[in-house]
Amino acid sequence: MTMSGEESSVGALLRAWRTARGKSQLTLALEAGISSRHLSFVETGRSSPSREMVLTLAETLEVPLRERNALLTAAGYAAIYRETPLDAPAMADVRDALEHILRASQPNPTLVVNRRYDILMTNEAARRLVGFFAPSWRGSPNVARMLLSHDGLRPALRNWNEVTTHVVHRTRSELAASPSRDAADEALLQELVAAEPELRRAAGAPTRPPSVLVPMTMQRGEVVVDLFTTITTLGTPLDITLQELRIETLFPADARAREALSAILAGS
């Protein structure tokens, strides 16, 4: 969805989002409460949408807040959604809430990540788990990079291709769909694109039936831990930073995994 020139007009951006959501002009018009003729005129540039219409269409299309700002800017209006750094004083209450969630998640490893999978906060269980399975990692605190690196989690993951393909595809899709990427987004996106040929070559045939969850099987020496992940997001956020936060918690898949995880966290 990266566009330039006339293709970066609000009409072209709205059309791209409508196509990405799999909606026809008629369906979107009905859901947004406008005529399909008016929507067609907006998409083709024959009509300029009001600020309220841009926001209504963005809400109907479930456009992320970051991209709603891009739509407003393309339409000639000021952006209205702010992006407040998580370490800003205004985020003190949010950080306290996240710290509470992280503490309450013990002994399950839990991470707070952004849309690039940069690790912003962790609990002690997550720090110990990463330290055990990736003791040589000295790179940036980013989950995708840790999975791709031989100094990171890659050697410890029995099902490396399955887990990494899932994370790379999800992160790449989100970044690639954003017309307002910054330099950090672009740098990671290029790394993910470069990694995809190797992931495809390593895919092979499935070795087990499809599961309801993507498992993570981690091994170091004789220690094997089967984990699965849950993702929590913050409800009804009006700040870009908050909307893009994910709270990822790893749970042991069975009793053996719980015992192994407990031993790791105990340092034995």
Side-chain angles (χ1 to χ4, degrees), residues 18 37 60 71 86 95 108 114 124 135 143 149-150 173 204 218 220 259:
R18 176 177 61 78
R37 184 169 183 267
T60 305
L71 288 171
L86 190 57
R95 291 195 304 276
N108 299 308
N114 61 16
E124 180 62 24
V143 173
S149 174
H150 288 280
S173 297
M218 308 181 77
R220 178 181 168 188
E259 183 178 344

Side-chain angles (χ1 to χ4, degrees), residues 106-162:
Q106 291 281 147
N108 299 308
T110 304
L111 315 143
V112 178
V113 299
N114 61 16
R115 67 174 184 161
R116 286 193 301 266
Y117 266 89
D118 295 326
I119 301 171
L120 307 178
M121 301 171 67
T122 69
N123 63 5
E124 180 62 24
R127 288 189 287 273
R128 287 180 175 269
L129 183 75
V130 172
F132 182 82
F133 285 111
S136 300
W137 180 248
R138 298 296 182 270
S140 64
N142 177 276
V143 173
R145 288 184 171 118
M146 291 177 69
L147 291 173
L148 290 169
S149 174
H150 288 280
D151 291 326
L153 290 169
R154 179 170 179 168
L157 272 169
R158 276 187 178 176
N159 58 333
W160 172 80
N161 184 269
E162 182 180 21

Side-chain angles (χ1 to χ4, degrees), residues 65-66 69 79-85 90-91 238-243:
L65 299 185
R66 181 183 298 276
N69 277 347
I80 64 172
Y81 299 103
R82 64 185 181 182
E83 183 175 6
T84 310
M91 290 289 204
L238 295 178
D239 185 281
I240 293 171
T241 297
L242 297 185
Q243 187 185 59

